[in-house]
Amino acid sequence: AISAAPFDGTPQNPARSGDHGERGRAATCQGISLAERMPGRDTGTWMHGPMRLTTFDTMRRSTMQRIREEFRACCDGSGHEARVSAALLAKHLHGLAEVGQKEAGLGVMALKDKQVVALRVCQLMQDMDLRNNGRVGLEEWTHYMLLEEARIPSLKVSLQINKLLKAALRQYPRLLEDLQRMFWAADVSSEGSLSLSDVTDMYRRRLWHFSPKNPRGLLSEADFAARRPEDLAREVMDAMDLDGSTYLSYAEFMAYCLGRRKQPVTLHFYDLTNGAASAISPWLLGQKLDGLWHTGVEVFGKEYYFGGDIFFDTPAATAFGEPLKRTSLGFTLWRQEELHNYIVDELRPMFNRDVYDVVFNNCNHFADKICVWLTGRHIPEEVVHQPESLMQLRVARVMRPLLNRWLGNLESNSERAGEARKDGSAAPTPGPTNCRPAAKPPLMPGALVSIKIFMVEEKTFGITV
């Protein structure tokens, strides 16, 4: 059986490629059925069944050769008319699974094993069939396999690319074929990735016209004459690169060509104690804390944060002042209107005044949700769990209701992302370009306006309100 996963030189288990732990070894043991050892859709690299031990012959094949050979093993017809249907794919997977069963000494496939194969076929066809006609050509097959090769699941690149591509193919049926032809022209190694020299050669031969810094997005003949191919290649690689590697993947190339542009994501840290935490934490906790953290997420030129309501404001100019430190979390390909849709549909029911809790549902939990959706990366774990560790202190438990009232009822003159309309249009309900300021209620007697920590008799701490 030929797998689309590239061989990295490490011997692989017969049951699964890419899994060298206990689960991979257990798959070859007696009594483990196919249904129990088949990897999940997002947890394994086995795309088309068990993989035999890699031979020297398969090591010499390029990624593209192996992908095309596997397509020919599944399809009917020849040339441009070759297609893979659900029935053909099921037959191919079923045959590979039976071989795996026999090699593992498990006998014939049980009913639930056949059901697993059928489910996998449905999943694959749903992901590969971009034109929704029930049959997949070589272009769609290769597209799916190379997106899997890219392995950037944190950004959900495949989801974004396929959503755009499906819409574009209805208007431009040859778009996928044309974009792949541009990529294959540069991919001289047929490995599904491009080096700097590959891209430089495209500009030297004037086959690529991408220009991220050109207002038109494309190079003219005068631009080619005025600039070095090496500089043009570095510029476009920097614009397309998402994971900081020295190679461009097929997924990065397709995302750029379909109009996605990476946006930096930065996490801002604010110390709610204005420096007091670092001074008193060694005495209270036995360890030094740099701050009692509030966090906000900067993206699309705005800073998003939670304080009873969900706000976005001018970065580093919120009611919390200047951030004590900033941390880059990489890039996102999502757009601002998509982020607003996510906030409205998913986060607003989870983050509002009624459910704010300074320990279990605060600004840091909100920032973590936003960062995972944007980049696939969590904010530092110690920041998320810091309030829980502080609850061991009696003074922190006493202050909890006051902090809930203070931090869970923030008001500012910032725009409120939680009120963004999905279509972004101007309407009575404010959209991202038409937001009303959040009203600031008058102070009531007994309202918490600030917290000051002071020392009494050298070791006892209290608060003044």
Side-chain angles (χ1 to χ4, degrees), residues 55-346:
T55 65
F56 180 72
D57 183 55
T58 58
M59 289 172 59
R60 292 188 300 172
R61 293 192 184 101
S62 68
T63 299
M64 289 307 305
Q65 283 178 317
R66 286 184 277 118
I67 289 175
R68 289 167 182 149
E69 286 180 9
E70 191 163 16
F71 175 78
R72 288 194 291 268
C74 297
C75 73
D76 61 359
S78 60
H80 292 291
E81 302 301 320
R83 295 290 184 272
V84 173
S85 65
L88 291 170
L89 183 56
K91 180 180 178 181
H92 177 68
L93 280 175
H94 190 275
L96 293 178
E98 283 187 326
V99 172
Q101 290 280 98
K102 292 178 181 179
E103 289 181 348
L106 298 176
V108 297
M109 294 175 60
L111 176 60
K112 70 174 182 178
D113 296 329
K114 296 178 181 179
Q115 291 172 339
V116 169
V117 172
L119 176 60
R120 186 63 182 140
V121 169
C122 291
Q123 293 173 337
L124 287 170
M125 291 301 294
Q126 183 179 16
D127 291 341
M128 288 193 289
D129 187 9
L130 299 175
R131 295 179 174 88
N132 298 318
N133 57 18
R135 295 171 67 82
V136 173
L138 178 60
E139 294 82 10
E140 292 167 297
W141 180 281
T142 304
H143 173 79
Y144 172 82
M145 293 299 180
L146 289 180
L147 290 185
E148 289 294 313
E149 291 284 338
R151 288 294 173 196
I152 317 178
S154 60
L155 295 181
K156 300 182 180 178
V157 173
S158 299
L159 176 64
Q160 297 184 61
I161 290 174
N162 287 339
K163 181 181 178 181
L164 294 169
L165 192 54
K166 285 181 178 180
L169 285 173
R170 288 193 288 268
Q171 188 173 1
Y172 306 103
R174 291 178 57 87
L175 178 62
L176 178 59
E177 183 180 351
D178 291 340
L179 291 178
Q180 287 182 345
R181 187 180 293 112
M182 293 176 64
F183 188 82
W184 307 147
D187 186 18
V188 294
S189 64
S190 296
E191 289 297 341
S193 60
L194 308 178
S195 66
L196 177 61
S197 63
D198 293 333
V199 179
T200 301
D201 188 54
M202 289 297 97
Y203 282 102
R204 184 176 291 112
R205 296 163 60 190
R206 301 190 179 185
L207 296 179
W208 278 19
H209 289 246
F210 303 118
S211 180
K213 296 183 179 180
N214 191 304
R216 297 183 297 109
L218 298 173
L219 296 170
S220 64
E221 290 300 319
D223 295 327
F224 276 113
R227 302 190 61 186
R228 298 170 60 240
E230 293 80 3
D231 296 335
L232 295 171
R234 289 190 179 91
E235 185 178 289
V236 78
M237 287 193 72
D238 180 65
M240 293 184 182
D241 179 45
L242 297 172
D243 57 5
S245 68
T246 57
Y247 286 83
L248 285 181
S249 68
Y250 174 83
E252 291 168 329
F253 172 83
M254 291 296 291
Y256 185 89
C257 291
L258 291 168
R260 292 284 154 156
R261 299 294 181 265
K262 66 181 184 181
Q263 297 286 336
V265 179
T266 304
L267 186 66
H268 290 188
F269 294 80
Y270 301 86
D271 180 15
L272 295 175
T273 68
N274 293 319
S278 61
I280 67 175
S281 57
W283 297 352
L284 291 176
L285 301 176
Q287 60 179 347
K288 183 178 180 180
L289 298 178
D290 293 329
L292 184 60
W293 299 120
H294 160 82
T295 53
V297 181
E298 180 184 354
V299 65
F300 308 118
K302 293 290 184 180
E303 181 169 347
Y304 293 79
Y305 61 96
F306 174 54
D309 284 320
I310 299 173
F311 302 96
F312 66 96
D313 204 347
T314 303
T318 68
F320 295 93
E322 184 73 16
L324 186 63
K325 61 180 181 178
R326 298 174 172 87
T327 299
S328 172
L329 293 177
F331 301 96
T332 186
L333 286 177
W334 294 109
R335 293 169 176 167
Q336 187 175 37
E337 60 269 23
E338 292 168 328
L339 173 60
H340 285 197
N341 290 345
Y342 173 67
I343 289 174
V344 171
D345 293 340
E346 304 291 338

Side-chain angles (χ1 to χ4, degrees), residues 417-439:
E419 297 178 347
R421 282 174 60 95
K422 292 185 179 181
D423 58 8
S425 61
T429 300
T433 59
N434 183 29
C435 298
R436 61 177 169 82

